[in-house]
């Protein structure tokens, strides 16, 4: 049975990883300035609680696929030798996607992102998938939620 996220216990404290980077307001402000965006308030609050890791409600579903996908969130930091939300730009460039996206989940064929292409704050959450319906591969964008808060309502866990 599915149990949806209820606004409590976002991080799975028993499966903690990547918490070696404590997050401060200064780091958030530096990241926002570097990316020229404003993270959603709920996102900032959750990341300050624990800077990335496993979620208690880790699953989400894409609108066109019956499978559930597992989400964990990378931390925000500026260490060059480790993955961070800040390093989204390199992955996006490699996939030939716009740099105005913040990656929440990806597997190179499908992406879940905060889409800042048309706004600097409160971005929609987009699902991006490879589209081979034309001769040249392109990307198809499907809105998952109008806001990060709306997307959180889609997260779930499986309970007996």
């Amino acid at each position: 049975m599915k149990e949806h996220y209820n606004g409590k216990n976002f991080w799975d404290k028993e499966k903690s990883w990547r918490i070696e980077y404590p997050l401060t307001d200064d780091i958030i402000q530096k990241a926002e300035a570097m990316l020229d965006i404003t993270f959603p308030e709920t996102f900032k609050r959750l990341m300050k609680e624990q800077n990335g890791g496993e979620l208690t409600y880790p699953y989400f579903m894409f609108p066109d696929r019956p499978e559930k996908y597992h989400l964990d969130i990378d931390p925000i930091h500026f260490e060059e030798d480790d993955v961070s939300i800040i390093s989204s730009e390199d992955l996006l460039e490699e996939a030939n996607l716009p740099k105005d996206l913040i990656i929440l989940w990806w597997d190179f064929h499908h992406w879940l992102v905060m889409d800042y292409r048309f706004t600097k704050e409160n971005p929609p959450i987009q699902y991006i998938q490879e589209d081979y319906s034309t001769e040249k591969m392109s990307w198809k964008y499907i809105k998952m939620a109008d806001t990060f808060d709306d997307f959180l309502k889609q997260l779930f866990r499986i309970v007996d």
Side-chain angles (χ1 to χ4, degrees):
M1 177 172 79
K2 285 184 188 178
E3 180 180 281
H4 284 85
Y5 176 60
N6 60 9
K8 297 177 184 167
N9 302 317
F10 186 73
W11 300 109
D12 186 339
K13 304 291 185 184
E14 292 178 16
K15 295 181 183 175
S16 296
W17 60 273
R18 298 243 190 240
I19 57 173
E20 65 264 24
Y21 305 107
L23 191 61
T24 64
D25 288 332
D26 289 341
I27 293 171
I28 291 172
Q29 290 169 358
K30 181 179 175 184
E32 289 176 330
M34 181 179 142
L35 298 167
D36 192 28
I37 54 99
T38 300
F39 289 117
E41 288 301 318
T42 303
F43 180 78
K44 290 190 274 192
R45 180 181 50 77
L46 292 170
M47 294 300 282
K48 284 166 59 175
E49 182 182 315
Q50 178 177 304
N51 191 11
E54 296 279 336
L55 309 183
T56 303
Y57 299 83
Y59 299 111
F60 67 96
M61 298 189 67
F62 291 128
D64 65 338
R65 302 177 160 277
E67 305 95 20
K68 66 182 186 297
Y69 290 86
H70 186 270
L71 175 66
D72 53 49
I73 297 178
D74 287 326
I76 299 172
H77 65 79
F78 295 96
E79 304 298 322
E80 291 189 23
D81 64 339
D82 199 0
V83 176
S84 165
I85 285 179
I86 304 303
S87 58
S88 291
E89 192 172 331
D90 296 334
L91 293 170
L92 295 166
E93 185 177 329
E94 186 176 331
N96 200 27
L97 284 165
K99 67 177 180 117
D100 302 53
L101 307 173
I102 301 296
I103 301 168
L104 296 173
W105 177 93
W106 61 278
D107 72 359
F108 276 113
H109 305 286
H110 307 92
W111 303 72
L112 182 70
V113 301
M114 288 190 274
D115 186 357
Y116 284 96
R117 290 176 302 155
F118 307 109
T119 185
K120 296 292 183 188
E121 56 188 47
N122 296 319
I125 305 302
Q126 296 273 9
Y127 161 46
I128 306 170
Q129 69 177 15
E130 290 178 333
D131 183 1
Y132 290 99
S133 64
T134 61
E135 285 185 29
K136 184 178 179 185
M137 194 284 290
S138 60
W139 294 103
K140 180 179 178 181
Y141 290 74
I142 301 168
K143 186 186 290 186
M144 292 284 292
D146 289 327
T147 66
F148 182 74
D149 286 359
D150 289 341
F151 174 70
L152 291 179
K153 295 173 189 170
Q154 296 177 34
L155 294 175
F156 65 93
R157 65 182 175 183
I158 305 298
V159 293
D160 295 327

